[in-house]
Amino acid sequence: MIQTIPPRSGVAFELRKGESLRVIDPQGEQVADLVAFNRHDTGEAISSGRSIDYASRIYLSTGDPIYSNRSSVMLRIGEDTVGRHDFLLSPCSAEMFRILYGDDKPHRGCFGNLAAALAPYGVQPDAIPTAFNVFMNVPVDPATGAITVEPPLSRAGDYTVFEAQMDLLIGLTACSAGQSNNFAFKPIQYEVISHG
Amino acid sequence: MIQTIPPRSGVAFELRKGESLRVIDPQGEQVADLVAFNRHDTGEAISSGRSIDYASRIYLSTGDPIYSNRSSVMLRIGEDTVGRHDFLLSPCSAEMFRILYGDDKPHRGCFGNLAAALAPYGVQPDAIPTAFNVFMNVPVDPATGAITVEPPLSRAGDYTVFEAQMDLLIGLTACSAGQSNNFAFKPIQYEVISHG
């Protein structure tokens, strides 16, 4: 059953080993911040630093593992109709909207949405890692290292599948940052697929 | 007073607000993994995701702040005679040496050295963030996102200064990974400079 995450909000749910999570961009050019924790020990979480190191690549897609801070494979990327995601940037947050956008009364952002959704599971805000930013399009200038946040390459109906390699707690958002989604706040959809 | 960190080892120490830390490469082409925590609340630590986001750049140098997971400025980079560092990759670890180097009996790496040095301060291994990898030279291919670990640009005596913006607990290593340092394990030196 396909679930909808309304614009600028987030959810948390369990994903069991062997299940797959399909993250869908229903309208195109939207981003979903994805974090994952070991369901049985939330001190273990996805690690951009380890995943990028072991892949020797900052852009991950089909076949690539997403490792934890203990170097276990938490998720493996399955079918991916987009092929460009970001794993460098923190979830957008009230502080980010103040610093980069100059907002006086900032939205709590994906960070605040993840913190609220994960709180019932005992995950503290400090423990929220750099997210795997599904569909986020962040080119890097190789000479200066400058990054830009460009409109996602996803079109309506595009999706990426993540296969759970252990029992997980997932946090997932419809991104709250204008720049990430070409300045139109849109929903995200997802589906948990049980095999067998 | 200049301190020496022997090859493939690490230290932890306090750095007070207003003090500066000068990290020196005494022989050239060596890397030092740097992590920092709020001295009074070690749940706050440096964040590559927030620092890269707010700088809009993956390569940080003189004048750039290093932010925490709470978006506070923890360190500011001062004089920097090298200008190329990495903030993408996790500290090398036993798991990394197994996965990337195929080592059967791997060294505990910078991660193990940081964990041991930080344990007396109550910092758990799970809480060690992606390090600011001083002098580490990691070019990115903009089309594929492929990264390579190249010899550092540092020559003997080069250094980078970090100015503490709050009371900090610092973890610092002489890197244990061959590829980071052009395959010669070397020491790192550092100096704490008190102003006034």
Side-chain angles (χ1 to χ4, degrees), chain A residues 50 56 58 70 90 126 145, chain B residues 50 56 58 70 90 126 145 147:
Chain A
R50 294 203 184 223
S56 296
I58 61 171
R70 298 178 193 165
S90 289
D126 280 346
Chain B
R50 295 203 182 222
S56 295
I58 61 170
R70 298 177 193 166
S90 290
D126 279 345
I147 58 164

Side-chain angles (χ1 to χ4, degrees), chain A residues 7-196:
Chain A
R8 303 190 105 179
S9 71
V11 295
F13 54 90
E14 298 179 38
L15 186 73
R16 282 180 296 185
K17 180 176 176 175
E19 291 181 333
S20 291
L21 169 66
R22 189 164 72 98
V23 180
I24 306 157
D25 184 351
Q27 299 179 15
E29 295 193 339
Q30 174 58 310
V31 164
D33 285 15
L34 170 68
V35 294
F37 301 84
N38 179 335
R39 180 66 194 94
H40 308 295
D41 179 356
T42 56
E44 183 167 22
I46 59 167
S47 166
S48 58
R50 294 203 184 223
S51 300
I52 291 170
D53 195 11
Y54 302 158
S56 296
R57 201 169 354 94
I58 61 171
Y59 300 131
L60 305 184
S61 183
T62 302
D64 287 322
I66 297 179
Y67 284 90
S68 76
N69 55 345
R70 298 178 193 165
S71 292
S72 301
V73 179
M74 302 192 93
L75 293 157
R76 191 175 295 274
I77 303 177
E79 189 180 1
D80 179 9
T81 70
V82 178
R84 174 56 58 93
H85 316 282
D86 171 70
F87 208 2
L88 300 181
L89 303 182
S90 289
C92 63
S93 61
E95 297 81 7
M96 181 277 229
F97 288 127
R98 275 196 205 96
I99 292 171
L100 285 184
Y101 288 63
D103 291 356
D104 284 339
K105 294 181 178 175
H107 191 272
R108 67 181 182 177
C110 287
F111 186 81
N113 288 330
L114 289 169
L118 292 164
Y121 295 93
V123 175
Q124 300 298 313
D126 280 346
I128 295 174
T130 296
F132 187 86
N133 302 304
V134 188
F135 312 133
M136 192 174 188
N137 182 14
V138 181
V140 178
D141 179 304
T144 64
I147 59 163
T148 52
V149 178
E150 302 292 339
L153 303 181
S154 48
R155 300 189 197 182
D158 272 336
Y159 60 87
T160 304
V161 174
F162 299 88
E163 302 162 356
Q165 307 297 307
M166 61 169 74
D167 290 346
L168 296 172
L169 169 63
I170 298 286
L172 189 67
T173 71
C175 185
S176 306
Q179 202 171 30
S180 302
N181 51 31
N182 209 10
F183 298 96
F185 300 118
K186 282 167 284 194
I188 282 290
Q189 293 182 324
Y190 69 96
E191 180 183 24
V192 172
I193 303 164
S194 299
H195 305 276

Side-chain angles (χ1 to χ4, degrees), chain A residues 52 58-59 88-89 138-148, chain B residues 47-66 77-78 80 82-89 131-143 145-153 160 162:
Chain A
I52 291 170
I58 61 171
Y59 300 131
L88 300 181
L89 303 182
V138 181
V140 178
D141 179 304
T144 64
I147 59 163
T148 52
Chain B
S47 166
S48 57
R50 295 203 182 222
S51 300
I52 291 170
D53 195 12
Y54 303 158
S56 295
R57 202 168 353 93
I58 61 170
Y59 299 131
L60 305 184
S61 184
T62 302
D64 287 322
I66 297 178
I77 303 178
D80 180 8
V82 179
R84 175 55 59 95
H85 316 283
D86 171 70
F87 208 3
L88 300 182
L89 303 181
F132 187 85
N133 301 305
V134 189
F135 312 133
M136 194 174 186
N137 182 14
V138 181
V140 178
D141 179 305
I147 58 164
T148 51
V149 178
E150 302 292 339
L153 303 181
T160 303
F162 299 87

